[in-house]
Amino acid sequence: MSTVTEREALVGACLFGQSGGPTAVINASAAGVFTEALRSTGRITHVYGAAYGIDGVFQERFYDMAQESPEELHNLCYTPSSALGSVRRKIKSEKDLQRILEVFQKYNIRFFFYNGGNDSMDTCNKVSKYLLKHHYACNVIGIPKTVDNDLVGTDHCPGYGSAAKFVATNIMSMYLDATVYQKGQVTIVEVMGRDAGWLTASAALAARAGCGPDLLYLPEGSFSREKFIEQVKQVLKENRSGTGSCFIAASEGIRTADGKLVASQPALAHDTFGHARLGGLCRVLESYVNDALPSVKTRSVELNILQRCAAYLASEVDVKNAFEAGRHAVRSALEGHTDRMVSFQRSSASGGGLGARFTCTLVPIDASANSVKHVPDSWILPDNRGMSEAFFTYAMPLVQGESKAPFSDGLPRFARLRKILARAPGSAPHVRSSL
Amino acid sequence: MSTVTEREALVGACLFGQSGGPTAVINASAAGVFTEALRSTGRITHVYGAAYGIDGVFQERFYDMAQESPEELHNLCYTPSSALGSVRRKIKSEKDLQRILEVFQKYNIRFFFYNGGNDSMDTCNKVSKYLLKHHYACNVIGIPKTVDNDLVGTDHCPGYGSAAKFVATNIMSMYLDATVYQKGQVTIVEVMGRDAGWLTASAALAARAGCGPDLLYLPEGSFSREKFIEQVKQVLKENRSGTGSCFIAASEGIRTADGKLVASQPALAHDTFGHARLGGLCRVLESYVNDALPSVKTRSVELNILQRCAAYLASEVDVKNAFEAGRHAVRSALEGHTDRMVSFQRSSASGGGLGARFTCTLVPIDASANSVKHVPDSWILPDNRGMSEAFFTYAMPLVQGESKAPFSDGLPRFARLRKILARAPGSAPHVRSSL
């Protein structure tokens, strides 16, 4: 194994990849990585962006990021989705890892940054451990991102703040829309979150602002159809909106006491990682209400992928944090750190108010392995009535500030990357990517 | 019947009501009406806002708008949904109209403004004609609004521009999200529009910006499942996104050649006006793709009510037009006009570019009665491949500029109205509304 001194002095190419589901600010981390790496020419010989995450390594498809304009790289901060392409691929075998090492050697990749959630950190961890085991000196840093906010080892994950701002803002807007008639209605909004309720909890920020859900259902609790109907009836009886309405936010991942997904359908498909493919939870809940209260008007809304790609409504704090996470990864790698994940710490000095400050630090790359960070039970009010002040103290600083996303002719102006494929060492001149 | 001279000199109370489905800018028209009416104290003795549209007349529930702060009235420009409450109620009988006249007499209402779409203009027209027939001098002006943009007699309807901007912006964002993996997928987005395809057509603005649908399905064409599948296969074959993807936008109101709604479900409910309640069209189309192309990944997204209540993403041109429509209604009524609807004309001097200017004028209030303004056939490209340049010239000026919607602590700051109920003439002092 290389020594720390060797690691501190490493010189070579750097490779950055994006993995898993996109977020509104995942490209801001890319911008942070590229900006910092491109100014570190003394140590970093080439700045590569992997096409489609780890698939780009297998296929040796690397974009030469030095050929992009600084303006467009900066504009990545306001461009949703994964600009380099993403992947959901599990590292399944020693053969996969051998191939990765082979490509790293061929391109002299000495700095590797991988941006993703739980599954992607697992990939990053496997690569890191394999390189260590085979004494290939390469500093590996994982960069967290996920709208689910369920990574262990960090105060929060970039992507969550913007998704939370989207959820809260749109629920406030829909709440006004849903209480417009004199005759009440039951509105059910389905929010992303397979295992953890962070994003659904953000709907409570709308309630705090006076335009939000009466009832919240998180995966942290177990769901009972009977209890649900009783709670809806109770809210309708209380008539808090003045129109006999009930507004509900529920996570796609809620389960019954015996562990069954409420959203489960006859033909339940699964994604590559064996997760159930969810959808339609709000329709299931709507059918429960229709069945029990046939005279009550109902409406169900699935926020769907909008909640993870609305860069135009991103939280400014989230954009900055995402950018900073990318920059911190590069700086840490240059300092000789490896086998680590960037983590956010909340500044205790600032007291946790709206203006709480966040600093980047490092944790072991496997800090988040095989575990999910759940919303603390004590932050959830009894009877599905929302979230406690502790949650607001946690979440409010993450949704502060509005994105400065540029518009052109009335529509978003996304980053335009040239995506020039890098030459393999010793090969013919570079060509424009056909993808 | 009163003469024009009498109408020019009318003095009395004014009443404004909101009706039908909300839009992102409907309250901007309310702000325009209230601002103009409150400064016309010489002629307008009271400024009333009807609670829940025409229902407020039947129930004599009028808010005293003079008791609201000018700041909050201005903030209505950035507050979605109907701030006074809305209604979907048909004027069914002579008895209804008698009751309306009775209340107008009681409150000395001499100026009546009603803000809504086709059905609401029908209500406004009936009230206007009844008052004329019974020689009750009251100047009645309809103010158009609808995200559907299907009112005859006006260049466009306030509400459409913001909905179009929301649809185009979010489709651009989702397009990036949907093409992020190396393996392609078919994405189907369902857009509002029962009878006319204006809003679905706005998805083509995203395509024009390079991130938009391959295929568009509007109610103006007839839908064939076989043709649809052939077109999807053709797009997948062309591989335009580079990932073998196909992105589709479809209107909730598309029908087969024999007039059946594609979205129709076993138990099809109807709203008060006898319109079928739609929803789930995207799931129907998704099932067609799953059936014909079982190996292709699919995703369906219903934009749902978000497209009509996202004031934070409103078009600045739309906000201004909506405000101006309200102001023009009041000015016109004070000038003695009645039985008219505010209409927008596009300034020919400005040539129809992005900076096209719009001016308010008046048309007969029944200009839009019993008819729907469809998207011209010649603006729709063959084979569902999108919209022509003529549509872009029409729509682009309507989505220009970004809303200045205020945020506070990271979330929208909506208008806070006091909603003080007006005293009935000769009654006890006013009380705070319990609604």
Side-chain angles (χ1 to χ4, degrees):
Chain A
M1 200 180 289
S2 54
T3 65
V4 171
T5 314
E6 281 170 351
R7 294 196 166 278
E8 278 172 6
L10 271 178
V11 173
C14 94
L15 175 67
F16 168 77
Q18 299 174 312
S19 176
T23 79
V25 302
I26 182 170
N27 288 326
S29 290
V33 166
F34 295 143
T35 305
E36 193 66 23
L38 287 167
R39 71 159 66 127
S40 307
T41 43
R43 300 274 308 280
I44 298 181
T45 55
H46 298 81
V47 180
Y48 297 134
Y52 304 104
I54 203 71
D55 264 1
V57 179
F58 289 104
Q59 298 164 9
E60 295 183 44
R61 294 173 50 80
F62 300 143
Y63 302 121
D64 180 356
M65 302 313 298
Q67 304 210 37
E68 307 292 344
S69 82
E71 291 75 23
E72 295 302 332
L73 289 180
H74 176 73
N75 203 10
L76 281 174
C77 290
Y78 309 110
T79 302
S81 185
S82 306
L84 308 177
S86 189
V87 67
R88 289 189 184 278
R89 174 177 181 150
K90 262 196 151 142
I91 299 294
K92 286 174 190 153
S93 63
E94 179 90 6
K95 211 179 128 199
D96 280 351
L97 291 162
Q98 278 170 3
R99 169 71 183 145
I100 292 169
L101 174 54
E102 183 187 300
V103 175
F104 274 38
Q105 287 171 322
K106 179 172 173 184
Y107 287 81
N108 191 34
I109 292 166
R110 298 295 171 174
F111 307 97
F112 178 55
F113 309 106
Y114 210 51
N115 191 190
N118 264 309
D119 295 317
S120 312
M121 285 307 126
D122 181 62
T123 297
C124 192
N125 179 42
K126 281 179 177 152
V127 171
S128 177
K129 296 297 188 292
Y130 188 84
L131 299 180
L132 285 171
K133 188 175 148 198
H134 289 80
H135 310 294
Y136 178 80
C138 176
N139 293 343
V140 177
I141 308 283
I143 305 167
K145 74 89 206 144
T146 165
V147 296
D148 294 332
N149 201 40
D150 60 353
L151 286 187
V152 173
T154 179
D155 173 83
H156 66 276
C157 297
Y160 172 66
S162 297
K165 188 182 185 92
F166 182 89
V167 168
T169 297
N170 281 284
I171 283 188
M172 287 179 70
S173 307
M174 290 192 289
Y175 181 88
L176 290 191
D177 188 289
T179 52
V180 82
Y181 299 118
Q182 208 155 358
K183 186 166 166 17
Q185 68 175 37
V186 174
T187 307
I188 301 156
V189 180
E190 176 178 341
V191 184
M192 278 181 171
R194 288 171 202 273
D195 305 306
W198 294 102
L199 201 46
T200 303
S202 70
L205 302 179
R208 183 172 180 271
C211 303
D214 302 291
L215 298 169
L216 280 190
Y217 296 89
L218 276 54
E220 278 78 4
S222 77
F223 180 86
S224 143
R225 177 174 171 175
E226 292 68 34
K227 200 175 143 201
F228 168 67
I229 292 298
E230 281 315 307
Q231 291 174 333
V232 171
K233 283 182 179 169
Q234 180 60 33
V235 169
L236 292 175
K237 209 167 116 189
E238 291 169 11
N239 193 25
R240 293 200 289 174
S241 70
T243 60
S245 281
C246 177
F247 202 106
I248 298 159
S251 167
E252 60 176 341
I254 57 172
R255 292 168 185 270
T256 54
D258 58 358
K260 285 196 185 122
L261 280 170
V262 179
S264 62
Q265 290 156 4
L268 200 62
H270 288 80
D271 75 9
T272 324
F273 286 101
H275 306 309
R277 274 184 58 194
L278 307 183
L281 180 265
C282 58
R283 300 269 178 191
V284 174
L285 297 186
E286 189 179 13
S287 72
Y288 292 168
V289 177
N290 290 336
D291 190 55
L293 301 160
S295 66
V296 176
K297 188 185 163 193
T298 56
R299 185 186 286 278
S300 58
V301 180
E302 189 184 346
L303 290 179
N304 215 309
I305 52 173
L306 290 180
Q307 63 203 293
R308 73 180 187 199
C309 64
Y312 60 82
L313 186 62
S315 141
E316 191 182 24
V317 164
D318 196 29
V319 174
K320 285 183 177 168
N321 280 347
F323 184 87
E324 207 47 44
R327 202 151 68 165
H328 192 72
V330 175
R331 287 176 180 171
S332 302
L334 288 173
E335 286 166 9
H337 296 285
T338 191
D339 203 39
R340 295 287 181 274
M341 178 181 84
V342 173
S343 154
F344 284 92
Q345 281 195 324
R346 197 172 288 236
S347 148
S348 55
S350 60
L354 291 187
R357 291 282 174 275
F358 302 97
T359 47
C360 286
T361 175
L362 297 175
V363 291
I365 199 168
D366 54 2
S368 63
N370 305 317
S371 55
V372 166
K373 189 171 79 172
H374 288 289
V375 179
D377 281 344
S378 62
W379 291 10
I380 304 172
L381 296 185
D383 300 322
N384 300 89
R385 288 299 180 122
M387 305 301 298
S388 75
E389 199 57 35
F391 173 75
F392 299 137
T393 302
Y394 170 79
M396 283 299 285
L398 302 174
V399 304
Q400 295 305 303
E402 284 68 58
S403 164
K404 306 288 180 291
F407 276 67
S408 168
D409 291 349
L411 295 175
R413 166 63 167 83
F414 295 145
R416 295 180 191 135
L417 298 185
R418 299 172 72 204
K419 291 195 179 178
I420 307 289
L421 281 180
R423 281 180 292 172
S427 70
H430 53 256
V431 289
R432 179 80 190 271
S433 166
S434 64
L435 285 202
Chain B
M1 199 179 293
S2 54
T3 65
V4 171
T5 314
E6 280 171 353
R7 294 197 165 277
E8 277 173 5
L10 272 178
V11 174
C14 94
L15 176 65
F16 169 77
Q18 299 174 311
S19 176
T23 78
V25 302
I26 183 170
N27 288 327
S29 290
V33 166
F34 296 142
T35 305
E36 192 66 22
L38 287 167
R39 72 159 68 128
S40 307
T41 43
R43 300 275 307 282
I44 298 180
T45 55
H46 298 81
V47 179
Y48 296 134
Y52 305 104
I54 203 71
D55 264 1
V57 179
F58 291 104
Q59 299 163 8
E60 295 184 43
R61 294 174 51 80
F62 299 145
Y63 302 120
D64 181 356
M65 302 312 299
Q67 303 209 39
E68 306 294 343
S69 82
E71 292 74 24
E72 295 302 332
L73 288 181
H74 176 73
N75 205 9
L76 281 175
C77 291
Y78 309 110
T79 302
S81 186
S82 306
L84 308 177
S86 189
V87 66
R88 290 189 186 277
R89 173 179 182 149
K90 260 194 154 143
I91 300 294
K92 286 175 192 154
S93 63
E94 179 90 5
K95 211 179 129 199
D96 280 351
L97 291 162
Q98 280 171 4
R99 170 71 182 145
I100 292 170
L101 173 55
E102 183 187 301
V103 175
F104 274 38
Q105 287 171 323
K106 179 173 175 183
Y107 287 81
N108 191 35
I109 291 165
R110 298 294 173 174
F111 307 96
F112 178 54
F113 309 105
Y114 209 51
N115 192 190
N118 264 309
D119 295 318
S120 312
M121 285 307 126
D122 181 62
T123 297
C124 192
N125 179 42
K126 281 178 177 151
V127 170
S128 178
K129 296 297 189 291
Y130 188 83
L131 299 179
L132 285 171
K133 186 175 150 197
H134 290 79
H135 310 294
Y136 178 79
C138 176
N139 293 342
V140 178
I141 308 283
I143 304 166
K145 75 90 206 139
T146 165
V147 296
D148 294 331
N149 201 41
D150 59 354
L151 285 188
V152 172
T154 179
D155 174 83
H156 66 276
C157 297
Y160 171 65
S162 296
K165 189 182 184 92
F166 182 89
V167 168
T169 297
N170 281 285
I171 283 188
M172 286 179 72
S173 306
M174 290 192 288
Y175 181 89
L176 291 191
D177 189 289
T179 50
V180 82
Y181 298 118
Q182 210 155 356
K183 185 167 166 21
Q185 68 175 37
V186 174
T187 306
I188 301 157
V189 180
E190 176 179 341
V191 183
M192 279 182 171
R194 288 171 203 274
D195 304 307
W198 294 102
L199 201 48
T200 303
S202 69
L205 302 178
R208 184 172 179 270
C211 303
D214 301 291
L215 298 170
L216 281 189
Y217 296 88
L218 276 55
E220 279 78 4
S222 78
F223 180 84
S224 143
R225 177 174 171 176
E226 292 68 34
K227 200 174 140 200
F228 168 67
I229 292 299
E230 281 315 305
Q231 291 173 333
V232 171
K233 282 182 180 169
Q234 180 59 32
V235 168
L236 292 176
K237 209 168 117 188
E238 291 169 12
N239 193 25
R240 292 199 291 173
S241 71
T243 61
S245 282
C246 176
F247 202 105
I248 297 159
S251 167
E252 59 176 343
I254 56 172
R255 292 169 186 269
T256 54
D258 58 357
K260 284 195 186 127
L261 280 170
V262 179
S264 61
Q265 288 157 5
L268 199 61
H270 289 80
D271 74 10
T272 324
F273 287 99
H275 306 308
R277 275 185 57 195
L278 308 183
L281 180 266
C282 59
R283 299 270 178 191
V284 175
L285 296 186
E286 189 178 13
S287 72
Y288 291 169
V289 176
N290 289 336
D291 189 55
L293 301 160
S295 66
V296 176
K297 187 184 164 193
T298 56
R299 184 185 287 278
S300 59
V301 180
E302 189 184 345
L303 289 180
N304 215 308
I305 53 173
L306 291 180
Q307 62 203 294
R308 73 180 188 200
C309 64
Y312 61 82
L313 186 62
S315 141
E316 192 182 22
V317 164
D318 196 29
V319 174
K320 286 183 176 167
N321 280 348
F323 184 87
E324 207 47 44
R327 202 152 67 165
H328 191 73
V330 175
R331 288 178 180 168
S332 302
L334 288 173
E335 287 166 7
H337 296 285
T338 191
D339 203 39
R340 295 287 181 276
M341 178 181 86
V342 173
S343 155
F344 284 92
Q345 281 193 325
R346 195 172 289 236
S347 149
S348 55
S350 61
L354 291 187
R357 290 284 174 272
F358 302 97
T359 49
C360 287
T361 175
L362 297 175
V363 291
I365 198 169
D366 52 3
S368 63
N370 305 316
S371 55
V372 166
K373 188 171 80 172
H374 288 290
V375 179
D377 281 344
S378 62
W379 291 10
I380 305 171
L381 297 185
D383 300 322
N384 300 89
R385 287 300 180 121
M387 305 301 296
S388 74
E389 197 59 34
F391 173 76
F392 298 138
T393 302
Y394 170 79
M396 283 299 285
L398 302 173
V399 304
Q400 295 304 303
E402 284 67 60
S403 164
K404 307 287 178 291
F407 276 67
S408 168
D409 290 350
L411 294 175
R413 165 64 167 84
F414 295 144
R416 293 179 193 138
L417 298 185
R418 300 172 71 205
K419 290 196 179 176
I420 308 289
L421 281 180
R423 279 180 294 171
S427 71
H430 54 254
V431 291
R432 180 80 191 271
S433 165
S434 64
L435 285 203

